[in-house]
Amino acid sequence: MQNLTEFSGNVTSNNSMSMIIKVCVVIPFFLVFLCCIAVMLHIFVSYRQFMDTSRYILFAYMLINDTLQLLSSVLLFLFVMEGVKFALVYCIPLLIISTATFQNTQLILATMSLERYVAIFYPLQRPVAWRSDRIWIIILSLWLISCIFPIIDHSFMEHDPAVDILSTPILCKATVVNSSQNQTLFRAATSILFFAVVAVIILFTYVRILLETRKLRQDTASLSKAMHTVLLHGFQLLLCMLAFTIPITESVIVLHSNWRPEDVAYFNYFCFILIPRFLSPVIYGFRDQSLRSYIEKTFLCCLNTLKCSVRRELNGIGFHGRAAASKPYISK
């Protein structure tokens, strides 16, 4: 009995340590991502020329969407790791935001590819909806499309009659909240539909820009840059689509290895959810020359401000130290 108690205590200690390590890895990644997003959004707001270009507006929109997606997914991750349970009335909105922003990322990638296509093939006769002052129409349409499917999914969900939506605590996880086979098939069909539409759009724009690059000899630099941008959109779409292999990888790895299911779920979340969102500002923000120059100026300004504040603190400490040392000793 004593050995059994020691074994259970060791298992509990190992689980707690594993959970602490996982949280300590995810949170710094999330904070660094928020720092990069804050710097880029500050640049967009401070310099008007970025908000007058449809491409940068879509990029800023993607950054905001990825921030919401990571914020909701990190909250869900922490709740599941800690085993926190709460009512469905609070869980379902969080799941809807997480799913909608995840699907919205794919639509944004397709829209940014189409924007490059329109900018190259219709530079002087750009459609009204693609102008910088009307691009919000497309953005609202993307939000509407991405929100419809998760709302339908959770509106017609089949839940246990014993579970009260307002009071019964439940683990906030999609497979727990919506566990019926019909809703699983609905989510799979929705994912396949989004992937097929976005993949066709990105492939179409890439092939057209590639053919245009071979046809025209002038201005090949801008065409080649646009082609590489579309190719990067396709690469990020592939990273997003790897998230849909999570149920398969969880089943295969658990069956053929000694990994625990929660460790496999964490690995999939870190590789297929967290990393692709973290790469967004790196791939598109630091790759753009004009935006990269402003990012460097902003970081240098912040660094200089930090150095000046530290120097003032050190000078203040040194001044007070010298003042204390210069006071005459008065004997009582």
Side-chain angles (χ1 to χ4, degrees):
M1 181 63 71
Q2 183 179 0
N3 292 334
L4 181 61
T5 304
E6 291 177 356
F7 175 75
S8 61
N10 290 333
V11 171
T12 304
S13 177
N14 291 335
N15 290 338
S16 300
M17 182 59 64
S18 175
M19 183 178 63
I20 292 173
I21 293 174
K22 292 172 184 176
V23 172
C24 291
V25 171
V26 169
I27 297 302
F29 261 85
F30 179 64
L31 293 178
V32 171
F33 175 83
L34 283 183
C35 179
C36 295
I37 297 301
V39 169
M40 292 185 183
L41 292 179
H42 172 72
I43 293 172
F44 285 136
V45 174
S46 302
Y47 300 97
R48 184 64 186 175
Q49 65 267 27
F50 291 111
M51 301 308 295
D52 290 335
T53 307
S54 300
R55 179 163 61 97
Y56 291 116
I57 294 175
L58 289 174
F59 177 60
Y61 170 55
M62 183 177 69
L63 294 179
I64 295 173
N65 178 83
D66 285 350
T67 303
L68 292 175
Q69 208 284 323
L70 270 186
L71 182 61
S72 59
S73 66
V74 167
L75 285 176
L76 290 172
F77 165 77
L78 294 177
F79 291 151
V80 171
M81 290 294 299
E82 295 288 342
V84 178
K85 297 181 179 181
F86 46 90
L88 283 174
V89 69
Y90 306 113
C91 173
I92 290 178
L94 198 57
L95 289 174
I96 289 176
I97 293 174
S98 179
T99 306
T101 50
F102 180 80
Q103 294 177 349
N104 205 12
T105 299
Q106 306 164 48
L107 299 178
I108 297 171
L109 293 174
T111 305
M112 294 178 74
S113 298
L114 285 175
E115 191 278 332
R116 289 291 82 202
Y117 173 81
V118 171
I120 289 174
F121 289 92
Y122 307 99
L124 301 178
Q125 298 178 347
R126 179 172 294 199
V128 176
W130 290 98
R131 297 174 184 172
S132 59
D133 56 341
R134 298 292 182 89
I135 197 70
W136 59 268
I137 299 175
I138 296 178
I139 292 176
L140 290 180
S141 302
L142 297 181
W143 264 115
L144 180 63
I145 295 172
S146 61
C147 288
I148 285 176
F149 292 100
I151 290 176
I152 293 175
D153 183 24
H154 291 284
S155 297
F156 297 98
M157 71 176 185
E158 302 174 4
H159 63 277
D160 189 353
V163 177
D164 187 8
I165 297 178
L166 299 177
S167 60
T168 304
I170 191 172
L171 190 65
C172 193
K173 196 175 180 181
T175 55
V176 176
V177 175
N178 294 335
S179 58
S180 66
Q181 186 175 3
N182 291 332
Q183 287 178 304
T184 302
L185 292 175
F186 175 79
R187 289 195 295 269
T190 303
S191 302
I192 293 172
L193 175 63
F194 271 78
F195 172 74
V197 172
V198 175
V200 167
I201 291 175
I202 291 179
L203 184 62
F204 167 76
T205 53
Y206 179 78
V207 171
R208 286 299 307 273
I209 295 174
L210 179 62
L211 294 176
E212 190 70 13
T213 304
R214 293 182 176 181
K215 185 190 303 182
L216 298 177
R217 295 301 179 185
Q218 65 274 18
D219 199 18
T220 56
S222 61
L223 291 175
S224 178
K225 186 177 180 180
M227 185 176 63
H228 291 157
T229 301
V230 174
L231 190 61
L232 286 174
H233 293 328
F235 172 70
Q236 193 172 9
L237 175 65
L238 177 63
L239 291 178
C240 293
M241 289 302 104
L242 288 176
F244 295 114
T245 65
I246 287 178
I248 301 174
T249 56
E250 286 182 356
S251 302
V252 172
I253 295 177
V254 169
L255 288 176
H256 295 86
S257 68
N258 295 325
W259 284 26
R260 296 178 301 171
E262 55 267 26
D263 293 336
V264 178
Y266 170 76
F267 174 79
N268 286 328
Y269 170 75
F270 186 82
C271 293
F272 302 141
I273 301 294
L274 193 64
I275 294 297
R277 300 306 181 281
F278 186 77
L279 289 177
S280 297
V282 176
I283 290 177
Y284 303 113
F286 294 98
R287 180 173 171 269
D288 189 276
Q289 293 181 357
S290 58
L291 187 58
R292 186 171 64 243
S293 63
Y294 284 102
I295 292 174
E296 292 174 355
K297 291 178 182 178
T298 303
F299 274 113
L300 288 176
C301 181
C302 294
L303 186 60
N304 291 332
T305 303
L306 182 62
K307 286 182 178 179
C308 291
S309 62
V310 171
R311 195 172 299 164
R312 281 197 298 267
E313 287 290 332
L314 293 177
N315 290 335
I317 293 173
F319 173 76
H320 290 301
R322 288 193 300 270
S326 62
K327 287 183 179 179
Y329 176 74
I330 301 175
S331 60
K332 292 183 179 181

